[in-house]
Each structure stands twice: as C-alpha cells, then as structure tokens.
Amino acid sequence: MSHPLISAPGTPELLIILAIVILVFGAAKLPDLARGTGQALRIFKAETRGLRDDEEKAKDALPSSEEPAEGEIVEDHRRDTSAG
C-alpha cells in the first residue's frame, strides 16, 4: 500500500488557515461572512431540492410509453400559431 504525499489537513493546519482568514478579513467581518455563506448554502439546497421535485413530477406525469398502443387514436392538440 502506498502512502499519499498529501494528506487531509489536521488541527495545526486548520488553526493556521483560521489565523490567516482572521488577519485577512478581520474578526468583525467573520460573523457576516459566515452568515452570508450559510444563507447562500440554504438557497442552493432549496433550489436543488426544487429541481429534483420538478423532475419527479415530470416523470410521474409522463405516460409509461411515449408511443401510442396499436389501434389507439391519437389527436394532435397543439395550437397552430403560424396563422396570424
């Protein structure tokens, strides 16, 4: 088994990253930064959940077969928009 050259960051590395973030953004800006990130994540999750729900509704609305069965009468209900 080979050992990877780069491993996941441990506690000392995370503390160094946190210190650099505090120096760059300042301690007063961190709560606003965290709040904005949390709101963006909630919005993203809600939108992806909505897309999944829409796909499931579309799948449920489709008939099991797209081609008509033999002997079935199919009517075209599309509107003719070419005539003005």
Side-chain angles (χ1 to χ4, degrees), residues 27-48:
K29 295 285 182 180
L30 287 181
D32 293 335
L33 183 67
R35 189 175 302 114
T37 303
Q39 286 175 342
L41 187 60
R42 276 194 301 274
I43 291 170
F44 179 75
K45 284 182 179 180
E47 291 297 323
T48 54

Side-chain angles (χ1 to χ4, degrees), residues 23-79:
L23 287 174
V24 171
F25 292 106
K29 295 285 182 180
L30 287 181
D32 293 335
L33 183 67
R35 189 175 302 114
T37 303
Q39 286 175 342
L41 187 60
R42 276 194 301 274
I43 291 170
F44 179 75
K45 284 182 179 180
E47 291 297 323
T48 54
R49 189 178 309 120
L51 288 173
R52 265 190 251 124
D53 291 345
D54 289 345
E55 286 179 1
E56 289 175 8
K57 288 178 186 176
K59 284 181 184 177
D60 292 341
L62 287 177
S64 61
S65 172
E66 298 221 354
E67 295 182 17
E70 190 174 332
E72 183 179 351
I73 299 173
V74 178
E75 296 180 23
D76 189 5
H77 294 287
R78 291 179 284 181
R79 293 187 337 189

